[in-house]
Amino acid sequence: MDLTTWLAEAVASNADWATAFGAFDPHPAQAVDDNRFGAAFEVFTERLKDNYPFFHPRYAGQMLKPPHPAAVVGYLTAMLVNPNNHALDGGPATATMEREVVQQLATMFGYDTHLGHLTTSGTIANLEALFVARELHPDKGVAFSTEAHYTHGRMCGVLGMEGFAVPTDDLGRMDLDALEDLLRGGKVGTVVLTTGTTGLGAIEPVHEALALRERYGVRIHVDAAYGGFFTLLADADGPEGLPAEPWRAVAQADSIVVDPHKHGLQPYGCGAILFRDPSVGRFYLHDSPYTYFTSDELHLGEISLECSRAGAAAAALWLTFQLLPPTLEGLGQVLAAGRRAALRWAELIEDSEHLELYQPPQLDIVSYFPVTAGNSLSQIDAASNRILREGMTDSQDPVFLSTLRLGAERFTARHPKITADTDGARILRSVLMKPESETYVEHLHRRLEQLARP
């Protein structure tokens, strides 16, 4: 699609809609002539060049990529109206769109019934999940793995709940034996399982944890902020297919968080929270005599901790899902390309003399480290940092990576030949979120081998 054409159409559509309400004189207090704007815009666009090329497959660092053009057009078109999805009178059209996309997300995860809405981020979505957990288990804490996103510990502090960090196995997934030992103490009311950890993309065993819910009466919350859309590849044909058990089990979780602004092709910020039991909406009840007056229907603000929320975010996701729905045949093909890229790069690294795979990729995150002469953690740490810096500052053929710090015990358990001469080391980490990575990964590998050579 031609983005320039459709951005112009967005402006024209808004102007056409506005004419139905009659003409009026704009106030001079907001008037800005084109010369003044042009000067400011020149400075603005120049400053924006101080960014990494998130759009390009040579950027293989963090979970960053531009939104799909359909999302850009959808967001801008709605933003010109600037609806607020807190209440139906603030955004009737986009509130309806929000309900529709949330239903699509619920269907994707296998929920038969649900209560949910979009949020500004996965952080806020997780806060809402833990808020409901506190209301249901007011005197109990939350268990999450040591590899879970740090937001869970932080939000436990915000909510006045005790957080319990559970050790992980050698693949970075929650150790369920350690979890059960903790649950026997009776202090935990909610267990957070992550389907796609931020560091390594590990998929925690939701299907095995469900038995513990029945045994100890805890809630299961699934943090699928990063990995959630990979449920589309459960049992898929080809190398990109994922074992179905943990993904199918997500449908039995009490709540789920997913971030469309990661693998859902959306601009920041667009997260989502889903509850399996709609009756938890009772915990959001509040009295707002100045807000809900245009409809007797449930307003989205009545089931959200947030107040103002951009209706444009719902519009962007709605338009994207019209073209690339959350199905294997739609959005799933975008994720499949990144997954295949990660698997291919892992194969190349395993055959390399200069790089070593830390562990096989479970989703689209590749973790690896440079081979060093002394095979020590301190050398690996220094070499990883050097490659990171040299790669991103090379003006001719730059490559943008990220690093992940691992403790000595964990590192040497997976790689016993490595000497633990310090308490840990940074390794290299690449998130291959862009489908274009599939055809670019050979170049990335060659470039990394060049940088890794002594």
Side-chain angles (χ1 to χ4, degrees):
M1 57 180 285
D2 183 349
L3 183 59
T4 302
T5 296
W6 291 107
L7 289 175
E9 286 291 325
V11 175
S13 173
N14 178 263
D16 181 63
W17 169 76
T19 59
F21 300 95
F24 64 94
D25 294 326
H27 197 283
Q30 298 186 95
V32 175
D33 65 49
D34 283 335
N35 289 333
R36 284 185 61 211
F37 180 82
F41 190 70
E42 182 178 1
V43 174
F44 170 69
T45 53
E46 189 63 32
R47 292 189 69 168
L48 281 181
K49 292 177 183 177
D50 185 21
N51 268 307
Y52 300 122
F54 305 132
F55 70 95
H56 199 288
R58 71 169 66 248
Y59 182 86
Q62 304 287 6
M63 298 172 185
L64 291 164
K65 65 177 178 181
H68 191 277
V72 174
V73 174
Y75 199 101
L76 176 68
T77 306
M79 186 180 64
L80 292 170
V81 179
N82 204 25
N84 180 351
N85 273 18
H86 178 64
L88 290 176
D89 56 289
T94 51
T96 301
M97 291 180 188
E98 179 166 347
R99 288 197 178 112
E100 292 174 13
V101 296
V102 169
Q103 176 64 67
Q104 288 178 281
L105 292 173
T107 300
M108 180 182 76
F109 286 116
Y111 269 6
D112 295 325
T113 61
H114 75 280
L115 182 79
H117 58 87
L118 300 181
T119 64
T120 53
S121 67
T123 300
I124 297 300
N126 277 311
L127 171 64
E128 295 210 17
L130 298 187
F131 161 72
V132 168
R134 186 192 68 182
E135 299 304 294
L136 288 165
H137 297 285
D139 300 319
K140 295 191 175 184
V142 178
F144 42 82
S145 79
T146 54
E147 289 296 298
H149 198 281
Y150 68 83
T151 191
H152 295 292
R154 176 179 287 180
M155 291 307 164
C156 282
V158 170
L159 292 166
M161 305 169 75
E162 188 172 5
F164 300 89
V166 180
T168 58
D169 63 15
D170 61 349
L171 288 175
R173 306 170 303 184
M174 181 182 283
D175 182 331
L176 295 189
D177 290 334
L179 173 64
E180 185 161 19
D181 287 343
L182 175 63
L183 295 182
R184 290 190 185 103
K187 294 183 178 180
V188 172
T190 298
V191 175
V192 177
L193 293 156
T194 306
T195 51
T197 58
T198 304
L200 293 169
I203 305 164
E204 296 191 324
V206 182
H207 55 303
E208 297 174 10
L210 290 174
L212 298 179
R213 177 177 66 182
E214 305 310 314
R215 196 174 305 153
Y216 296 98
V218 295
R219 286 177 63 79
I220 296 291
H221 169 59
V222 172
D223 181 357
Y226 152 66
F229 284 100
F230 280 98
T231 191
L232 300 173
L233 302 184
D235 254 354
D237 294 331
E240 65 269 24
L242 295 168
E245 290 84 357
W247 302 104
R248 299 289 182 254
V250 169
Q252 300 178 58
D254 296 290
S255 53
I256 308 167
V257 161
V258 65
D259 273 355
H261 65 213
K262 290 188 172 73
H263 284 101
L265 308 179
Q266 298 307 293
Y268 289 104
C270 185
I273 174 66
L274 300 166
F275 296 100
R276 187 162 58 102
D277 178 8
S279 73
V280 301
R282 67 189 185 276
F283 298 121
Y284 290 96
L285 290 177
H286 61 279
D287 182 22
S288 180
Y290 46 81
T291 304
Y292 311 116
F293 55 85
T294 58
S295 173
D296 292 331
E297 294 182 59
L298 182 71
H299 295 253
L300 291 167
E302 295 177 276
I303 55 167
S304 170
L305 290 183
E306 294 180 272
C307 293
S308 298
R309 292 181 304 111
L317 185 57
W318 186 90
L319 186 55
T320 305
F321 277 1
Q322 295 299 299
L323 304 161
L324 293 168
T327 62
L328 174 59
E329 299 76 20
L331 188 56
Q333 295 308 300
V334 179
L335 280 86
R339 171 79 178 137
R340 289 192 297 265
L343 294 172
R344 175 58 182 150
W345 198 359
E347 290 176 354
L348 293 170
I349 291 171
E350 286 183 320
D351 291 336
S352 175
E353 296 179 2
H354 306 289
L355 298 169
E356 186 162 348
L357 193 66
Y358 176 74
Q359 73 176 41
Q362 296 183 50
L363 295 176
D364 61 6
I365 298 177
V366 184
S367 55
Y368 52 102
F369 57 93
V371 174
T372 59
N375 277 339
S376 69
L377 288 180
S378 61
Q379 289 178 325
I380 290 170
D381 182 82
S384 296
N385 185 56
R386 176 186 61 78
I387 291 169
L388 175 77
R389 300 300 171 190
E390 290 182 5
M392 66 194 300
T393 55
D394 185 338
S395 61
Q396 300 302 310
D397 191 9
V399 60
F400 301 87
L401 313 169
S402 62
T403 59
L404 175 68
R405 181 170 175 79
L406 297 164
E409 182 178 355
R410 182 175 174 191
F411 200 125
T412 55
R414 285 201 64 83
H415 298 274
K417 68 181 182 182
I418 302 299
T419 302
D421 61 341
T422 184
D423 62 354
R426 285 167 290 183
I427 63 170
L428 296 166
R429 168 181 170 272
S430 291
V431 184
L432 303 184
M433 296 184 76
K434 293 175 282 291
E436 294 82 5
S437 297
E438 186 173 17
T439 56
Y440 200 78
V441 71
E442 308 272 350
H443 177 83
L444 279 176
H445 181 71
R446 288 193 298 271
R447 187 70 187 99
L448 263 292
E449 283 211 312
Q450 292 171 357
L451 291 166
R453 289 190 183 103

